[in-house]
Amino acid sequence: MPDQNLTGTRSTAPVAEVAQAEAGPPPGKPRSLWSDAWSDLRRKPSFLIAAAMILVLIVIAAFPGLFTSASPRDADLSGAFLRSPELTKFFSPEWFGYDSQGRSVYARVIYGTRASIVIGVSVTVIVLFVGSLVGMIAGYFGGWVDAVVSRIVDTFMGIPFLLGAMVILVSFDVRGKLVITLALAVLGWTTIARVMRGSVISVKQADYVQAARSLGAGTWRILLRHVLPNAMAPVIVVAMVALGGYISAEATLSYLGIGLADPAMSWGSDINTGKDQIRVALHVLIFPSIMLSGTILAFLMMGDAVRDALDPKLR
Amino acid sequence: MADTTREPILEVRNLVKHFPLTQGIVFRRQVGAVRAVDDISFTLYPGETLGIVGESGCGKSTVAKLLMNLERATAGEIFYKGEDISKLSGRALKAVRRNIQMVFQDPYTSLNPRMTVGDIIGEPFDIHPEAAPKGDKQARVRELLDVVGLNPEYINRYPHQFSGGQRQRIGIARGLALNPEIIICDEPVSALDVSVQAQVINLMEKLQDEFGLSYLFIAHDLSIVRHISDRVGVMYLGKMVEIGSDAAIYDHPTHPYTQALLSAVPLPDPDAREGRERIILTGDVPSPANPPSGCRFRTRCWKAQDRCAEELPLLAVPQRYADADTAVAHDSACHFAEEKPQVTHA
């Protein structure tokens, strides 16, 4: 055995040689789970398509004026009432036609993006923060803390998502983006909390957490340095998939007339406007619907791709 | 080598750990307890290696967790240099932890996959700033990597870029960072390939000589324990059944369980195999939630008599060998302790 000389010598040099001969790590950049996932994702068409779509949507939401010169609120009732789309006139106000008040559907679709993206992203951020914190505390401390928190989570889970949001929103006179965001967040954080709790419970048993405890590490160090980074992956995936759900929930509420309403712009309320002329002017309904479905699809595809990349069972 | 004339560095007295078994969801009530560790006593001297062997589920790892205060003892005391550490908490416990460190069984799960090797080995210094090197922390981490035989250039790599043996070296370096006096090794090589096992064991012996460490070495591989240990304790179902010098345990075992264990060690020499009697135990290990009365081993012991069911044998030098001057006179918890020469090796 080549290591017999280990006991005989005080010099560490031969030990180092043996250790390196023991299949040293390949040279190159350090790789972590996230960097592995990233190199996986870069080669995935579904991720690339979804990422491109989301990027475009974010730019539209931030700078709608770049995409259309028309104002979504200019109504030309006499000249453009339910005028049909002119599909060859790309990016012009006439591209998607006009609605029953003579407003450009294309401009409204562009300006309606912001509501969906802002509400979807802010609900997800709030839910990620609150849900992760609550789930982490319940999972890590266990015992009666877990019992109390889990019952609260169960109670919230028992409320049907849309029905609950409707009940909350009806009690407000003015329903802006903030109110809708908070209503969705109040009902949505429980999913993340549950996933986080389960993830933390499995991570806190790991030997490296025990090792940190045996070194004398405090609770916060263990939570932030050891538990959270290792428990985050499934939560991120669930949050990405949920983001699509929040966008669709906002559109549903706006469609039902208890979300955003005129003069605020939202694909949901535009679909509501379009449904009345569905036989004579399908385009008023169809273009906001396509944008809505496309946006939700992009976020779902992204969540799916990220889950595949982060799932250690597929590695 | 162990210096048994000195004061023990670690003394365990009547250590007990029961895990409660509960029933009911809303109103929990205790319906019993798993007696993982039941009344164990032993001592560890400075610079010594005490091996603890026993089959799966006998409470070896629970002993390690109790010594590290990762689990609270149900009863009993653990004295570190005369101070009972089993009830410490907060700052006092943190101070003791500097001196007692642990090397874990599975090198694949004992290193945080999100931290670089440098962060893993340097973390003890972040937790104990008073023990951190005055100057460059990085330099100390590189030095530790060198001490355990890893290239100091690996400091920025992640654990998954290393092999099992290399990871275990990283775990050992983390354990050494605070200059502890005692290292508790919970099956440190059982997850490694045989060839790598020898390297890690040799490294541990070298470090012991260099830093004067005391090891509590928990394992189920009898040959490795014999190789590294000065004294050996044998556990069965939460009890210490026999303890003594490695010569006493391996060449003069007097407890039937130890004899059965040793008779199962594979021998490379076919001639020696011929003359050896193999003891095949029947039945399974009883549940630690409902252990047999009297001697725990009596349900599988070929020597068992009525007395074994009624009277708990104490861990002491057997009467028969009380005056003997050889290694055979060591503690054995059996009413009928007797040597059985044909089961030992060589």
Side-chain angles (χ1 to χ4, degrees):
Chain A
M1 227 179 281
D3 47 84
Q4 284 306 323
N5 59 356
L6 292 195
T7 40
T9 172
R10 277 298 165 91
S11 145
T12 50
V15 189
E17 276 167 30
V18 171
Q20 279 161 51
E22 217 180 83
K29 267 181 20 184
R31 285 154 63 97
S32 68
L33 181 100
W34 295 106
S35 71
D36 273 354
W38 174 236
S39 67
D40 235 40
L41 284 175
R42 270 183 317 191
R43 274 181 257 117
K44 245 198 181 133
S46 69
F47 170 79
L48 293 175
I49 294 167
M53 282 167 74
I54 290 169
L55 201 70
V56 170
L57 285 166
I58 288 171
V59 175
I60 294 178
F63 311 105
L66 290 178
F67 293 85
T68 176
S69 53
S71 159
R73 295 203 177 91
D74 279 353
D76 182 9
L77 252 186
S78 57
F81 176 72
L82 288 183
R83 207 157 83 197
S84 296
E86 294 176 46
L87 291 174
T88 47
K89 289 193 172 172
F90 294 105
F91 304 110
S92 71
E94 309 88 83
W95 192 13
F96 294 166
Y98 289 82
D99 69 5
S100 55
Q101 300 191 50
R103 298 176 299 192
S104 159
V105 172
Y106 174 62
R108 291 197 66 82
V109 159
I110 290 294
Y111 279 86
T113 310
R114 184 177 286 175
S116 294
I117 300 288
V118 166
I119 289 176
V121 170
S122 22
V123 172
T124 307
V125 168
I126 296 173
V127 152
L128 253 184
F129 184 77
V130 176
S132 300
L133 192 71
V134 172
M136 193 163 74
I137 288 169
Y140 187 74
F141 292 102
W144 67 267
V145 179
D146 183 28
V148 170
V149 171
S150 293
R151 289 304 82 75
I152 296 173
V153 168
D154 286 348
T155 310
F156 273 89
M157 280 230 150
I159 306 171
F161 190 67
L162 270 178
L163 185 65
M166 281 160 70
V167 170
I168 294 173
L169 287 174
V170 169
S171 61
F172 285 88
D173 292 335
V174 183
R175 299 185 284 267
K177 287 194 191 103
L178 182 70
V179 173
I180 296 175
T181 301
L182 292 179
L184 293 180
V186 162
L187 295 164
W189 64 274
T190 50
T191 322
I192 301 285
R194 249 191 202 180
V195 175
M196 191 57 158
R197 173 179 171 271
S199 184
V200 165
I201 286 175
S202 73
V203 169
K204 80 168 176 186
Q205 299 298 332
D207 279 352
Y208 52 82
V209 176
Q210 301 280 315
R213 280 181 64 201
S214 69
L215 283 171
T219 305
W220 281 109
R221 165 175 283 275
I222 291 176
L223 278 178
L224 296 179
R225 297 265 293 171
H226 298 277
V227 174
L228 190 61
N230 288 289
M232 226 31 220
V235 176
I236 297 274
V237 171
V238 171
M240 279 204 175
V241 174
L243 210 163
Y246 299 137
I247 291 177
S248 109
E250 181 274 323
T252 309
L253 291 167
S254 299
Y255 173 83
L256 292 173
I258 42 177
L260 295 173
D262 272 336
M265 269 160 301
S266 155
W267 294 331
S269 55
D270 283 358
I271 293 171
N272 189 20
T273 327
K275 78 170 191 305
D276 299 329
Q277 293 92 28
I278 189 162
R279 297 208 191 144
V280 284
L282 189 62
H283 63 270
V284 184
L285 177 81
I286 211 94
F287 289 106
S289 307
I290 290 173
M291 280 300 276
L292 179 64
S293 314
T295 307
I296 295 168
L297 180 71
F299 282 106
L300 290 181
M301 267 163 66
M302 176 77 112
D304 237 29
V306 171
R307 180 184 52 216
D308 288 351
L310 286 179
D311 193 342
K313 271 171 251 151
L314 293 174
R315 294 201 163 270
Chain B
M1 267 292 121
D3 180 0
T4 47
T5 55
R6 276 199 283 165
E7 282 284 296
I9 192 166
L10 195 71
E11 189 173 358
V12 172
R13 268 192 226 149
N14 308 105
L15 195 62
V16 176
K17 178 68 188 178
H18 290 182
F19 292 101
L21 291 170
T22 54
Q23 232 175 35
I25 295 165
V26 182
F27 300 102
R28 276 173 199 263
R29 62 201 165 89
Q30 194 175 331
V31 292
V34 174
R35 297 160 180 234
V37 174
D38 212 357
D39 197 6
I40 278 188
S41 303
F42 60 85
T43 49
L44 182 67
Y45 294 96
E48 177 194 47
T49 302
L50 173 63
I52 298 215
V53 290
E55 60 198 292
S56 305
C58 74
K60 305 183 300 270
S61 292
T62 308
V63 168
K65 285 190 174 135
L66 290 172
L67 294 180
M68 291 307 298
N69 253 306
L70 290 172
E71 298 277 4
R72 286 277 168 185
T74 311
E77 292 104 36
I78 302 163
F79 292 97
Y80 165 72
K81 289 187 172 169
E83 180 195 9
D84 183 8
I85 60 167
S86 64
K87 280 141 197 106
L88 292 183
S89 61
R91 196 168 297 232
L93 177 61
K94 196 172 161 183
V96 170
R97 280 188 161 147
R98 270 183 59 184
N99 296 311
I100 308 178
Q101 279 299 309
M102 186 160 176
V103 172
F104 286 81
Q105 172 175 11
D106 187 348
Y108 291 90
T109 60
S110 64
L111 307 175
N112 186 340
R114 300 273 192 278
M115 283 164 79
T116 63
V117 170
D119 286 341
I120 289 171
I121 299 174
E123 190 174 31
F125 301 134
D126 298 336
I127 296 169
H128 298 271
E130 73 284 357
K134 289 284 169 286
D136 193 4
K137 197 182 87 182
Q138 284 254 326
R140 175 76 180 126
V141 172
R142 283 172 195 273
E143 195 186 310
L144 282 165
L145 278 172
D146 190 53
V147 164
V148 298
L150 288 173
N151 187 340
E153 300 309 310
Y154 291 173
I155 189 162
N156 286 324
R157 298 200 174 170
Y158 285 87
H160 73 267
Q161 295 172 291
F162 293 91
S163 67
Q166 288 175 317
R167 286 171 184 228
Q168 201 56 299
R169 286 168 193 267
I170 296 167
I172 291 171
R174 173 176 60 191
L176 285 175
L178 296 170
N179 277 322
E181 291 169 277
I182 303 170
I183 294 191
I184 292 163
C185 314
D186 185 5
E187 310 220 16
V189 296
S190 57
L192 305 175
D193 287 347
V194 177
S195 60
V196 182
Q197 280 185 356
Q199 293 172 5
V200 171
I201 290 289
N202 289 337
L203 169 69
M204 292 181 66
E205 289 191 321
K206 179 185 87 103
L207 296 172
Q208 182 168 40
D209 291 347
E210 223 164 285
F211 301 110
L213 302 167
S214 308
Y215 287 145
L216 184 76
F217 194 94
I218 294 167
H220 57 242
D221 186 322
L222 293 162
S223 323
I224 283 179
V225 169
R226 176 168 208 182
H227 180 74
I228 194 165
S229 302
D230 303 309
R231 287 191 306 132
V232 179
V234 182
M235 280 183 73
Y236 181 77
L237 211 60
K239 288 267 187 205
M240 192 74 87
V241 295
E242 188 167 9
I243 188 165
S245 68
D246 66 341
I249 298 294
Y250 284 90
D251 299 333
H252 306 281
T254 58
H255 195 285
Y257 178 61
T258 314
Q259 291 165 351
L261 273 186
L262 288 173
S263 83
V265 172
L267 286 186
D269 177 7
D271 292 335
R273 229 178 292 163
E274 287 284 304
R276 185 168 74 150
E277 180 193 339
R278 281 197 63 196
I279 304 166
I280 313 282
L281 292 179
T282 52
D284 285 325
V285 185
S287 159
N290 183 23
S293 64
C295 175
R296 299 251 167 126
F297 186 55
R298 70 176 166 84
T299 52
R300 302 169 75 191
C301 183
W302 63 95
K303 287 184 185 172
Q305 295 183 13
D306 291 347
R307 186 184 167 197
C308 300
E310 290 151 12
E311 200 182 324
L312 184 73
L314 295 173
L315 184 62
V317 178
Q319 205 87 77
R320 173 195 312 263
Y321 300 116
D323 301 325
D325 207 20
T326 57
V328 75
H330 62 270
D331 293 351
S332 176
C334 178
H335 295 307
F336 307 104
E338 191 179 9
E339 247 193 297
K340 195 171 167 61
Q342 57 272 45
V343 298
T344 51
H345 330 217

